[in-house]
Amino acid sequence: MSYWDPIPTVRACTEGEPLPGLAEWVPAYDHHSWSAWPSTWEERNWRNVPGPFYGSVTDTCWTGRKVAPGHILYDDEDGREFVYCQPRTPEETYRVLAAAWQELTAGYQCDGDERWTPELVREWWRDRGRVREWAAALDRTWSVSKDEDEREAAGGARAYVAYIDDGLAEYLRGYLFWLAERRPPGAGEPLPKL
């Protein structure tokens, strides 16, 4: 699957549909509000993978991987959270939402579809070596750390490198199609080039 749109799941959650299983990840999630920071897009973490979700001025409590380890990672500058893999199923979307809802500064957003352009996505992809190098270095450093949370997060850095090497290009080509057509590609439809 090259692209799956998580926004209908987000809308269903914000329109009152209960979040299946969210209570097991986050006991209280009614404090979150999107768009708490007007400059969230401009201050987004450069490591975020293009897509609807992204982390910007998040807190530094390192809670996101506890609920969404397959999607959230921390930077090594000040411990802010970012999205290294966009959700591809409703359950994965719930997990990313859980990470966003427990984040105290409301530093996550889900308006990336309105912000990313094909040119920006391609620019991010051209610069992927910088992200890959950062994640590989993080893994080397944190995998031998005395801190248990850093050792756990090193697994996320390894997963990010593996995703950049295999799978991310197909996702981004599907996302480029989505940005242009506002629908997922049909079977056999050609995907744009990165």
Side-chain angles (χ1 to χ4, degrees):
M1 171 184 2
S2 61
Y3 185 74
W4 176 80
D5 180 18
I7 298 304
T9 302
V10 173
R11 281 194 193 109
C13 293
T14 61
E15 291 169 3
E17 184 176 300
L19 291 169
L22 184 59
E24 73 186 61
W25 301 319
V26 182
Y29 55 85
D30 58 357
H31 71 278
H32 186 271
S33 63
W34 297 104
S35 301
W37 301 101
S39 59
T40 302
W41 173 254
E42 291 78 16
E43 295 182 32
R44 74 190 178 284
N45 193 306
W46 59 271
R47 300 163 186 93
N48 284 289
V49 163
F53 290 98
Y54 58 94
S56 184
V57 186
T58 67
D59 65 29
T60 58
C61 297
W62 281 35
T63 55
R65 287 191 55 76
K66 292 180 183 3
V67 295
H71 305 278
I72 306 301
L73 193 52
Y74 315 122
D75 71 36
D76 57 341
E77 292 162 3
D78 51 19
R80 300 213 185 265
E81 300 181 4
F82 64 92
V83 178
Y84 78 90
C85 182
Q86 296 288 331
R88 295 165 290 208
T89 67
E91 181 177 334
E92 290 180 4
T93 303
Y94 301 143
R95 288 184 177 273
V96 172
L97 287 172
W101 264 303
Q102 69 182 4
E103 200 280 311
L104 298 175
T105 63
Y108 279 96
Q109 283 299 322
C110 66
D111 65 351
D113 290 352
E114 286 76 48
R115 307 284 191 160
W116 286 102
T117 64
E119 295 77 25
L120 286 175
V121 171
R122 288 182 176 106
E123 179 181 311
W124 188 96
W125 179 248
R126 281 191 303 273
D127 200 29
R128 72 191 177 280
R130 175 182 176 215
V131 178
R132 189 188 187 288
E133 182 180 310
W134 170 84
L138 186 75
D139 177 32
R140 286 191 301 274
T141 302
W142 283 0
S143 64
V144 296
S145 173
K146 293 180 181 180
D147 184 282
E148 182 179 337
D149 289 331
E150 286 183 355
R151 287 193 312 272
E152 187 284 325
R158 280 190 300 280
Y160 197 6
V161 169
Y163 187 41
I164 290 169
D165 292 346
D166 184 26
L168 182 54
E170 180 184 355
Y171 161 80
L172 289 176
R173 290 178 67 215
Y175 189 56
L176 285 172
F177 187 97
W178 173 262
L179 289 175
E181 303 291 332
R182 293 299 182 193
R183 65 177 177 83
E189 280 190 277
L191 296 177
K193 293 184 192 267
L194 282 171

